[in-house]
Amino acid sequence: MNRQQTASKEYLMKAYRIDERIRSKLSQVDSLTDLAVRATATISDMPGNPSKDPHRMENIVVMIVDLQKEIGKDIEKLLDVKRDMMERIGKLEDPEQQMVLELRYIDCLAWEKIADDMDFSMNNVFVLHRKALENFEVPET
């Protein structure tokens, strides 16, 4: 892979990495929510261990709210990145090159699914992908 292809691929992978970060944070929110539900289920009038954190539920809720704010910011960033990517992909002259980049980097599909969707062999998809990366305009940083 040459320098242009590497730079294109690195830029196009930004959306995938942001999406993975969002998924990870959503999983953390689910875990914290589950923990909060279990914490409220154990509240009773019976005397308990005095060393337990009396603000445990409050701390969990604050963590959930903070994570949800981060997720919102990440989603905005993801939308901006995908919008820019779609604009740059749209500048490619070959519609098949556009399609392979959209399926791979916007829709995050596996190579097998891309080949199936495009009715191409895997080898043809890889060749098309390399050409698309070569022709893709990477923004200057």
Side-chain angles (χ1 to χ4, degrees):
M1 193 174 288
N2 66 31
R3 185 176 293 186
Q4 169 63 32
Q5 291 168 327
T6 302
S8 296
K9 187 173 181 179
E10 186 176 304
Y11 172 76
L12 291 165
M13 287 297 293
K14 284 172 68 173
Y16 176 78
R17 287 189 293 273
I18 295 169
D19 191 49
E20 285 299 304
R21 222 172 24 246
I22 291 169
R23 289 179 199 275
S24 173
K25 289 177 183 177
L26 287 170
S27 176
Q28 291 174 41
V29 168
D30 288 344
S31 294
L32 289 170
T33 302
D34 183 52
L35 184 61
V37 168
R38 282 189 277 129
T40 56
T42 59
I43 295 176
S44 74
D45 292 334
M46 296 299 294
N49 184 348
S51 67
K52 286 187 178 178
D53 182 5
H55 303 290
R56 181 176 182 206
M57 176 61 109
E58 179 182 331
N59 295 339
I60 294 171
V61 171
V62 168
M63 290 172 68
I64 291 171
V65 170
D66 288 345
L67 268 174
Q68 288 173 331
K69 286 179 185 176
E70 287 180 31
I71 291 167
K73 289 177 186 175
D74 287 345
I75 289 171
E76 287 178 24
K77 185 175 181 179
L78 178 62
L79 291 173
D80 289 342
V81 168
K82 283 193 174 189
R83 190 177 303 117
D84 184 64
M85 287 171 54
M86 287 297 295
E87 187 176 305
R88 292 176 185 285
I89 290 170
K91 291 180 181 178
L92 293 172
E93 293 179 14
D94 184 343
E96 290 178 339
Q97 289 180 11
Q98 291 176 2
M99 178 69 73
V100 75
L101 292 184
E102 287 174 11
L103 292 174
R104 183 64 179 174
Y105 299 105
I106 301 296
D107 297 338
C108 301
L109 296 182
W111 292 115
E112 295 81 8
K113 178 73 173 134
I114 295 169
D116 187 52
D117 286 357
M118 295 183 73
D119 200 26
F120 282 6
S121 71
M122 290 288 289
N123 190 49
N124 286 344
V125 169
F126 291 141
V127 169
L128 185 62
H129 178 253
R130 281 191 297 275
K131 288 179 184 176
L133 292 177
E134 185 66 39
N135 295 324
F136 184 79
E137 180 187 323
V138 179
E140 293 183 25
T141 54

